[in-house]
Amino acid sequence: MTRDLTALSEELTAMAAADHEKAVTGAANSDDPAEQLAWRRLTARHGDRLNEIMDEVGWPTAGLVGEDAARAAWLVAQHADRQLDVQRRALRLLEEAVAAGRAGARELAFLRDRTLVNEGREQVYGTQVAGVRGDGSPIPWPCTEPDRVDALRAEVGIEPFAEYVARVR
């Protein structure tokens, strides 16, 4: 089993590396339809594989596959935007892992917001951005409690929104 988990860890980290490589080239938001299609194929393939992994091991926690691979699984779930069934399942399994103390609330908050936005609902933590203002600052998707966003973010270890805005400009 250790060898299988090592291989799984390596596979997950390779998926994240491929995702990152496409993301830094701007494929997801490219004006080139071929680049957008390549991004969609990659994220769909990764989402399908994550679904199989969840069949095999449940949520791939750091205790099971290591920190880098667990973060990679989270990234794959984040980017499974056109596979809401995969995102919802990942969210449910990650919630269970967080409740059991085997995963972090920060990643759960990001995945919860991403899934909510993909469902056409308001997000909780203000982690998902709808666009960018002329000055370069991000515009968050609507939030359920906009006046409490920073308090909610603090509860799960996410910086205040203003600090995030200042960092990404």
Side-chain angles (χ1 to χ4, degrees), residues 48-152:
D48 290 345
R49 181 59 184 129
L50 179 61
N51 209 31
E52 293 170 354
I53 291 167
M54 291 186 294
D55 285 342
E56 296 167 18
V57 300
W59 184 254
T61 62
L64 188 65
V65 296
E67 289 288 335
D68 290 343
R71 179 118 173 111
W74 169 81
L75 180 68
V76 168
Q78 278 286 104
H79 289 168
D81 293 320
R82 289 168 188 81
Q83 296 167 290
L84 266 173
D85 58 327
V86 173
Q87 270 189 342
R88 288 177 180 133
R89 183 177 185 203
L91 180 63
R92 187 179 72 252
L93 291 174
L94 185 54
E95 285 171 342
E96 292 170 6
V98 169
R102 294 179 293 130
R106 184 179 194 281
E107 286 74 22
L108 177 60
F110 275 86
L111 186 56
R112 177 170 288 130
D113 274 1
R114 185 76 164 235
T115 304
L116 287 167
V117 167
N118 285 334
E119 292 173 340
R121 298 166 41 187
E122 293 178 332
Q123 62 180 327
V124 176
Y125 301 95
T127 64
Q128 301 304 298
V129 174
V132 179
R133 291 183 180 89
D135 67 358
S137 63
I139 303 166
W141 284 97
C143 297
T144 54
E145 299 180 78
D147 295 338
R148 293 195 58 234
V149 164
D150 282 340
L152 294 167

Side-chain angles (χ1 to χ4, degrees), residues 22 25-41 82:
K22 279 283 184 204
T25 64
N29 301 312
S30 174
D31 291 334
D32 180 358
E35 283 293 316
Q36 287 181 24
L37 189 56
W39 172 257
R40 288 181 184 195
R41 283 185 186 133
R82 289 168 188 81

